[in-house]
Amino acid sequence: MKAVQVISLTLLSVLAASAQIFRPGKCPKPAVQENFDVTRYIGKWYEIQKLPNTFQWGECGTATYSLKNAGVGVLNRELLADGTVNAITGSAKVKDPSEPAKLEVSFFESSPPGPYWVLSTDYEGHSLVYGCTDFGLFRMEFAWILSRQPTLPEETIEELHSILTSAGVSVSKLAITDQDEALCRPMDQ
């Protein structure tokens, strides 16, 4: 077996065990939101569903975006099982001004930025975000369905699932984020 295949299979095994969405093949190139306006995207978003990943462990997830001199400030928060609020700050930048819906997000100076592509948003109700990184023969996928409110109409979720499915993303892997008001109360303190 070639060294690349051994490394890829080892990496796949590690990530699969940690609930990361790792699939064979190259990343798809789905269409992104046309005429994306980052200033309308600023503000608080509630996580409704996501592809499981290794860096989010809680419920009540939110993402708050703010304008910064060099791009967009990012504050992600979640409620952990022990009742504590986990938060991380980062920044997002548009990679190519001709495609403003394709952002790159960084949380640590020492790690490379990750793709944050806004596939669909109406700015006031929903947002569908996708990211994918190629690793040789495999790809690692991320997806989030976000809402300005803790809930989102089922028909909107179905429309967003359709966009993901058209891009070749398995919506059966999406996990629902609990946004129950009583559970999430510590997020407001």
Side-chain angles (χ1 to χ4, degrees), residues 68 70-74 89-93 104-107 113:
K68 301 283 185 183
V72 177
V74 180
T89 59
S91 62
K93 294 180 182 176
E104 292 185 330
V105 177
S106 299
F107 289 99

Side-chain angles (χ1 to χ4, degrees), residues 55-58 76-80 84-88 187:
F55 50 86
Q56 289 179 293
W57 314 285
N76 289 347
R77 299 176 74 225
E78 65 184 340
L79 182 66
L80 300 178
T84 61
V85 175
N86 182 40
I88 187 168
M187 295 281 287

Side-chain angles (χ1 to χ4, degrees), residues 66-183:
S66 59
L67 289 178
K68 301 283 185 183
N69 290 343
V72 177
V74 180
L75 171 62
N76 289 347
R77 299 176 74 225
E78 65 184 340
L79 182 66
L80 300 178
D82 66 2
T84 61
V85 175
N86 182 40
I88 187 168
T89 59
S91 62
K93 294 180 182 176
V94 173
K95 184 176 180 178
D96 177 354
S98 70
E99 294 183 295
K102 291 183 178 181
L103 295 103
E104 292 185 330
V105 177
S106 299
F107 289 99
F108 306 102
E109 286 186 31
S110 61
S111 64
Y116 183 103
W117 291 10
V118 180
L119 303 187
S120 175
T121 188
D122 63 0
Y123 303 101
E124 297 171 8
H126 77 270
S127 178
L128 175 61
V129 177
Y130 178 74
C132 188
T133 303
D134 288 315
F135 289 99
L137 301 173
F138 299 93
R139 69 182 185 257
M140 184 170 39
E141 292 183 307
F142 303 96
W144 293 271
I145 293 176
L146 306 173
S147 174
R148 291 291 190 180
Q149 302 297 320
T151 61
L152 198 57
E154 191 59 39
E155 55 271 11
T156 303
I157 293 172
E158 289 173 12
E159 289 173 26
L160 301 176
H161 282 185
S162 177
I163 293 169
L164 287 173
T165 300
S166 296
V169 179
S170 176
V171 296
S172 67
K173 304 284 188 199
L174 288 168
I176 295 171
T177 301
D178 193 343
Q179 291 288 354
D180 178 75
E181 184 178 349
L183 171 70

Side-chain angles (χ1 to χ4, degrees), residues 2-45:
K2 294 180 181 177
V4 171
Q5 288 175 319
V6 172
I7 292 169
S8 294
L9 289 174
T10 302
L11 186 56
L12 174 63
S13 299
V14 169
L15 291 173
S18 63
Q20 195 75 44
I21 299 302
F22 214 81
R23 298 183 58 193
K26 296 283 185 188
C27 290
K29 305 289 187 230
V32 295
Q33 177 78 30
E34 290 186 24
N35 303 312
F36 180 70
D37 181 355
V38 72
T39 60
R40 293 181 63 201
Y41 199 74
I42 298 306
K44 185 174 183 177
W45 292 92

